[in-house]
Amino acid sequence: MLSKILLGIAALVTAERTPVVLVADVGVDDASALIWLAKDLTIDLLGVAASFGCHGDVRQTAANARRVLRAAGRPCVPVYVGSPYALGEAEPPSDDGSYVHGEDGLGSVAEAPEEARLPTCDVDETLSAAEFIARTARERPGEITVIVTSPLTNLALAYLLEPHLPELVTRTLVMGGAVRHPGNVSPLAEANFAHDARAARLVVDAFSSEEGDRLIIAPLDVTMAGAVDHVHVASELDKAGVAQRLLAKAWRTYIGNYCTVLKECGPKAVLHDAHTVAYLRRPDLYDVEKLTLEVSVGGAANGHSLLDRRTLSSSDDEIDDRTGEIGERKKRCAVLTGVDAAGFKEAFLNAVAPLPVNVSLPIVKETTRRFVHVHAASKA
């Protein structure tokens, strides 16, 4: 049996892995996606582009990303700091998600002694987040999957740096928007789209295509439907490892704030951002519709994912609503509209908190452009 397990692990390690760039404002549910990416042997996590969002200071979300990566045993994955401002703004955001995610954006969880003993790593992180995304796509055309679990500021800036970005990457997965579901920061808008509606509008317009398979969006419609039994999931995380225990503690703060502030209480809780990784790994769990979306900018509808529900909108072609004249083919995106919640929970726990196998594995170090040096932490 042990030889079969080792052969299976060896096959996974040697198989071609999916290169991923994560754009994240690492807070609680972002951490669930990040740990999954860090632990999955089929994923080659190239780096994290840090955004504001769960916390208004992008330096804090970058620090959160480094903390989670270190806890997950991947301290050498680089984290690139992104723009401190929304697209077209000159000041940091006045509103963020700390009222749900905690004062530091990660549940305000004190560092545990087991974290302090983990090794650190020196890596080159001099590029901005947008530069990292654009350069990586140019260097590896047709290979990269981009996952965004934050406001879309840094992806929009990367597109402005490299206008061919939508064609250079294999696919772009975004957690954001609310299509038929109510918003969570306003009656109409989801947080990632609302925190930078200009960037969301730019990305949705630029990355949509006639085929509708280049941009995949996981809106609140699917992430809320994928809520899981939080007592069971958190208890499994508690048993799994350093990063998972950090996530469990932070998630409990998040769940408490959801109940206290947003009045959403009960036995189930959400892991919004993990659905992007779940779709990448298990697309069979999801229902998908090809839709044409437009993101509203400004006013009460800021960040709203506008879907034309009129009869003429069902056509694959643009139709003038005054003359009936048929125009060009519509640009669409793939929107996740339904999920097998039990299957999602199983896939998440199998990836992030698998049952122990008692097999020792070698430590895999990342390779970067410059010399990488791993520091063993001093014993407490």
Side-chain angles (χ1 to χ4, degrees):
M1 171 65 89
L2 180 59
S3 62
K4 289 182 179 179
I5 292 172
L6 289 171
L7 285 172
I9 292 172
L12 282 172
V13 171
T14 57
E16 186 175 346
R17 298 191 294 166
T18 302
V20 171
V21 166
L22 177 65
V23 187
D25 54 335
V26 173
V28 179
D29 53 328
D30 302 79
S32 68
L34 179 53
I35 295 169
W36 191 334
L37 292 171
K39 293 291 186 182
D40 194 319
L41 295 177
T42 70
I43 301 295
D44 182 11
L45 181 58
L46 303 179
V48 178
S51 309
F52 63 82
C54 293
H55 194 281
D57 189 338
V58 68
R59 294 168 298 183
Q60 180 62 52
T61 65
N64 292 347
R66 294 186 185 103
R67 180 182 180 184
V68 172
L69 286 166
R70 183 186 180 198
R74 301 291 299 279
C76 297
V77 173
V79 177
Y80 301 92
V81 178
S83 172
Y85 318 126
L87 206 63
E89 300 294 333
E91 295 182 357
S94 58
D95 185 30
D96 63 17
S98 59
Y99 63 98
V100 171
H101 291 266
E103 289 185 8
D104 66 351
L106 195 56
S108 300
V109 177
E111 184 180 62
E114 61 181 356
E115 282 187 72
R117 291 191 290 267
L118 294 172
T120 59
C121 188
D122 289 333
V123 288
D124 179 8
E125 298 174 334
T126 54
L127 292 175
S128 71
E131 289 170 327
F132 161 63
I133 298 166
R135 190 182 76 174
T136 304
R138 289 188 192 116
E139 291 178 346
R140 302 181 65 170
E143 296 182 33
I144 307 300
T145 292
V146 176
I147 294 179
V148 187
T149 61
S150 68
L152 287 98
T153 313
N154 292 307
L155 185 59
L157 290 171
Y159 167 69
L160 295 175
L161 289 173
E162 176 48 79
H164 295 293
L165 186 62
E167 295 83 32
L168 287 172
V169 300
T170 301
R171 67 182 75 83
T172 301
L173 293 157
V174 173
M175 188 279 129
V179 180
R180 300 182 181 99
H181 194 279
N184 61 359
V185 292
S186 79
L188 295 173
E190 177 275 333
N192 286 339
F193 278 21
H195 285 318
D196 195 343
R198 292 188 189 94
R201 184 183 183 110
L202 178 60
V203 167
V204 170
D205 288 350
F207 284 73
S208 293
S209 62
E210 290 183 3
E211 296 77 16
D213 57 358
R214 205 161 60 187
L215 174 64
I216 301 100
I217 296 178
L220 290 179
D221 309 57
V222 73
T223 65
M224 295 299 290
V228 296
D229 174 357
H230 61 77
V231 173
H232 175 249
V233 172
S235 68
E236 293 299 305
L237 293 172
D238 279 331
K239 296 181 285 187
V242 180
Q244 294 90 332
R245 282 188 283 276
L246 170 59
L247 173 58
K249 292 174 184 176
W251 196 35
R252 290 184 178 105
T253 298
Y254 178 85
I255 292 165
N257 289 337
Y258 243 85
C259 183
T260 303
V261 179
L262 301 178
K263 311 306 178 189
E264 293 187 16
C265 311
K268 293 190 175 183
V270 291
L271 289 166
H272 297 295
D273 295 331
H275 285 274
T276 54
V277 188
Y279 179 78
L280 178 65
R281 297 291 288 113
R282 291 287 308 277
D284 58 296
L285 296 175
Y286 292 88
D287 299 322
V288 183
E289 290 184 50
K290 301 288 183 69
L291 301 174
T292 299
L293 297 181
E294 180 179 324
V295 180
S296 302
V297 177
N302 185 64
H304 177 221
S305 310
L306 178 62
L307 172 66
D308 189 346
R309 295 179 174 84
R310 295 175 295 177
T311 302
L312 59 80
S313 70
S314 62
S315 171
D316 290 336
D317 301 308
E318 298 284 357
I319 298 178
D320 190 299
D321 63 0
R322 291 298 180 267
T323 67
E325 183 177 343
I326 297 176
E328 297 179 351
R329 296 273 292 178
K330 287 180 179 175
K331 293 174 64 178
R332 300 177 296 172
C333 56
V335 178
L336 309 187
T337 56
V339 61
D340 175 352
F344 164 74
K345 173 185 169 183
E346 180 182 16
F348 175 75
L349 288 177
N350 285 343
V352 174
L355 295 174
V357 179
N358 294 324
V359 176
S360 297
L361 294 175
I363 295 174
V364 179
K365 294 200 298 184
E366 323 302 327
T367 57
T368 61
R369 287 181 158 270
R370 295 189 180 181
F371 175 74
V372 172
H373 186 72
V374 179
H375 301 283
S378 59
K379 293 184 178 180

